[in-house]
Amino acid sequence: MQRPRLIEYQNGARVKPTFTAAEMERRHAALRGHMAENRIDAALLTSYHCVNYYGDFLYCQFGRRYGLVIDQDKVTSISAGIDGGQPWRRTAGENIVYTDWRRDNYFQAVRELTGNVKRLGIEFDHVNLDLLDLLKSEFPDCEFVDIASAAMRMRMIKSTEEIAHITEMARIADLGGAACAEAISVGVGEYEVALHSTQAMVHEIARTWPHAELMDTWTWFQSGINTDGAHNPVTSRRLERGDILSLNCFPMVAGYYVALERTMFCETATDEDIRLWEINCRVHDRGKELLVPGARCSDIAKELNALYAEHDLLQYRSFGYGHSFGVLCHYYGREAGLELREDCETVLEEGMVVSMEPMIMIPDGRPGAGGYREHDILVMTGDGAENITGYSYGPEHNIISG
C-alpha cells in the first residue's frame, strides 16, 4: 500500500474565529502589499506569532515543523497529521496536512503550495540553520528573502478589534490580581497563590470566550529572594511576614498576551521598603505620562533613568521600561522594534499597545532587598493614551494581611 504524503483533514465544522473575516483580510492585504512591492512571490511563515497572527492558528510544535503559506491568492496552514482536523477548524484560510511516512513530507507540502516561485519570503529571525539548509536543498533555484521585520512592523500597530480583545484580557488580568491578593497569607506556598490566580483567570476566559481554546494562561507569583528576576518561576517557598512579593498575572487568549504586575508585601513593610517602593511608583507614574504618540522610545528611557539617578538607584534598574503587546508569550513573539530602551529609536504611534513596567532590584543583604516592579498597559490614541490596567498599586493598597 502506498501511503499518502499529504492529506486533507477537514474533520467536523469550522469553529468561531477570534476575529472577523474583515480583520483577517486586512492583515493578509497588508502582507500581500509588502510582498508585491518587494517582488516576493509567496511567504512561508514558520513562527508561532506570524502563523497565529495571519492564520488565527496557534500550533503545538512538539518537534515537528509547521507553517503558513501566503501568496496573492490563498492562505494555507501546514500542519502535522498528529493534530487531526484541529488546524483546519482553526485556520483563517485552508489547511494541508503532512504525514509521518517520509521525513521530507513537510517540504512536499511547501512545494505544493509555492510551486516554482523564484522569491520566497521567510522569517530570518526564526528559521534556524538546519531548516535554512534544508530549504536551500529542496528549492535550489529559489531566492530566500526576509519577511520577519516587515511582519513585525505590521503587528506593532493594532486594529480596533485587536485593541478590544487586549482590553478585555486586561480586565481578566485584574481579576487574577485580586485572586492573588485573596490567597496571600503567611505560610502559604508561592505555587498555591499562583494556582488560585490562574484558576480565576481561566474560569473568566471560558465564560467570556466560550469558543476559545484554553491554553497558556499562567501566573508567576514570587516572594522574598525570588522577586529579584521578573521571569523567575513559581516555587514551593512559603510566605513569611515582611516578605516582598511580586504578583505577575498573564491571561492568554488566542495567542495574545497581557500582563498585570504589582509589588506587594506580606503583612508589613519597613520604612526603607516603602521608600524604595514609592520611588519606583513615581517612576511608573511619570513613565505613563510620557507614553503618548510622537514620543521616542529612547527619550522615554533616558528621562526615567534620570529619575532613578536622582535617588542613586539607577544602578539597580533591571531591564527596559516596557514593550509592545499583542501576539506574544514567554516563549514567542517579542516585537523587538518597540521597546522602551535607550537603543530603540521607534516613535510611538496611534494603535500601538505598550507597557510601562519600571523595576529596580536591591541585592540580598541590603535594606529593602528585593525586586520592585509595577506594570500597566496603555493603548496609544490619537492625542494621548488610554490605560487599560485598573489594579491599584503602591504601599497604600498592597500591603496584604491574610
Side-chain angles (χ1 to χ4, degrees):
M1 174 184 174
Q2 183 68 32
R3 309 185 85 174
R5 301 181 68 180
L6 306 175
I7 58 175
E8 290 187 353
Y9 211 142
Q10 298 180 3
N11 194 37
R14 298 271 194 171
V15 298
K16 181 179 178 181
T18 308
F19 299 103
T20 64
E23 166 64 11
M24 298 309 294
E25 287 166 7
R26 179 194 69 81
R27 300 180 188 189
H28 299 158
L31 188 63
R32 284 167 171 154
H34 171 80
M35 291 162 58
E37 289 174 8
N38 292 273
R39 298 181 296 107
I40 298 172
D41 303 312
L44 170 63
L45 305 173
T46 50
S47 66
Y48 288 103
H49 36 283
C50 276
V51 172
N52 186 72
Y53 183 79
Y54 293 103
D56 200 19
F57 163 51
L58 188 61
Y59 62 78
C60 177
Q61 185 165 16
F62 238 124
R64 292 175 169 85
R65 293 189 171 94
Y66 288 78
L68 188 78
V69 173
I70 299 181
D71 59 20
Q72 293 298 331
D73 300 312
K74 293 190 302 182
V75 176
T76 310
S77 61
I78 302 172
S79 60
I82 195 170
D83 295 316
Q86 183 261 4
W88 174 78
R89 293 192 294 271
R90 290 278 168 188
T91 299
E94 298 307 315
N95 169 255
I96 191 168
V97 176
Y98 69 94
T99 63
D100 282 348
W101 323 141
R102 282 177 53 172
R103 286 194 176 275
D104 62 347
N105 283 350
Y106 173 82
F107 297 100
Q108 180 63 23
V110 175
R111 184 175 290 104
E112 182 161 309
L113 295 173
T114 59
N116 297 314
V117 302
K118 297 302 181 184
R119 285 169 57 86
L120 181 66
I122 61 173
E123 297 175 75
F124 280 17
D125 64 356
H126 184 263
V127 171
N128 58 31
L129 291 176
D130 179 55
L131 178 53
L132 182 59
D133 285 345
L134 289 168
L135 285 169
K136 288 179 178 178
S137 175
E138 294 283 342
F139 305 97
D141 298 324
C142 189
E143 179 184 358
F144 299 101
V145 183
D146 181 41
I147 205 163
S149 57
M152 178 185 69
R153 179 68 192 181
M154 293 173 203
R155 298 197 313 274
M156 280 164 47
I157 306 295
K158 273 59 183 180
S159 68
T160 300
E161 287 191 30
E162 285 182 282
I163 290 170
H165 183 79
I166 293 168
T167 300
E168 190 69 347
M169 291 170 63
R171 176 186 67 83
I172 292 172
D174 286 346
L175 295 178
C180 243
E182 181 180 72
I184 291 171
S185 185
V186 171
V188 172
E190 289 179 1
Y191 70 95
E192 295 177 87
V193 178
L195 287 171
H196 187 65
S197 169
T198 300
Q199 185 179 59
M201 292 189 289
V202 171
H203 279 304
E204 184 62 14
I205 290 169
R207 188 192 69 79
T208 306
W209 290 280
H211 57 283
E213 295 171 332
L214 302 176
M215 58 185 293
D216 294 335
T217 292
W218 85 102
T219 302
W220 281 324
F221 180 76
Q222 303 143 347
S223 64
I225 191 69
N226 295 331
T227 64
D228 67 347
H231 300 158
N232 292 351
V234 170
T235 76
S236 58
R237 184 185 184 277
R238 296 193 174 275
L239 308 190
E240 300 175 7
R241 189 172 189 271
D243 270 347
I244 187 171
L245 311 172
S246 285
L247 171 161
N248 310 270
C249 299
F250 308 108
M252 290 287 299
V253 182
Y256 280 73
Y257 157 103
V258 301
L260 168 69
E261 301 174 10
R262 291 289 183 257
T263 301
M264 294 178 162
F265 275 81
C266 185
E267 293 194 350
T268 187
T270 68
D271 289 345
E272 181 63 2
D273 295 333
I274 291 174
R275 184 186 78 87
L276 293 164
W277 193 1
E278 289 180 337
I279 291 170
N280 204 55
C281 288
R282 288 200 290 275
V283 174
H284 184 56
D285 289 337
R286 180 56 182 154
K288 288 187 289 184
E289 293 173 353
L290 295 173
L291 290 179
V292 294
R296 190 177 304 275
C297 292
S298 58
D299 293 339
I300 294 170
K302 291 170 186 174
E303 179 165 339
L304 297 181
N305 281 349
L307 280 179
Y308 277 138
E310 287 178 16
H311 300 279
D312 194 26
L313 292 173
L314 183 56
Q315 66 270 34
Y316 300 123
R317 184 190 135 197
S318 291
F319 53 83
Y321 289 100
H323 58 85
S324 180
F325 274 72
V327 178
L328 73 155
C329 188
H330 51 326
Y331 54 87
Y332 64 80
R334 190 81 168 189
E335 294 171 6
L338 180 49
E339 300 207 1
L340 302 177
R341 297 168 24 147
E342 297 88 337
D343 59 357
C344 182
E345 299 302 313
T346 300
V347 174
L348 299 182
E349 301 177 33
E350 181 178 1
M352 290 178 172
V353 180
V354 189
S355 62
M356 174 50 59
E357 47 180 309
M359 178 179 175
I360 51 174
M361 192 284 285
I362 309 302
D364 194 35
R366 293 178 179 267
Y372 298 78
R373 182 171 70 262
E374 313 297 340
H375 180 298
D376 287 19
I377 299 175
L378 290 89
V379 177
M380 299 301 104
T381 63
D383 56 358
E386 178 187 0
N387 189 342
I388 59 174
T389 298
Y391 201 85
S392 299
Y393 58 94
E396 190 177 330
H397 304 284
N398 286 326
I399 297 175
I400 309 297
S401 297

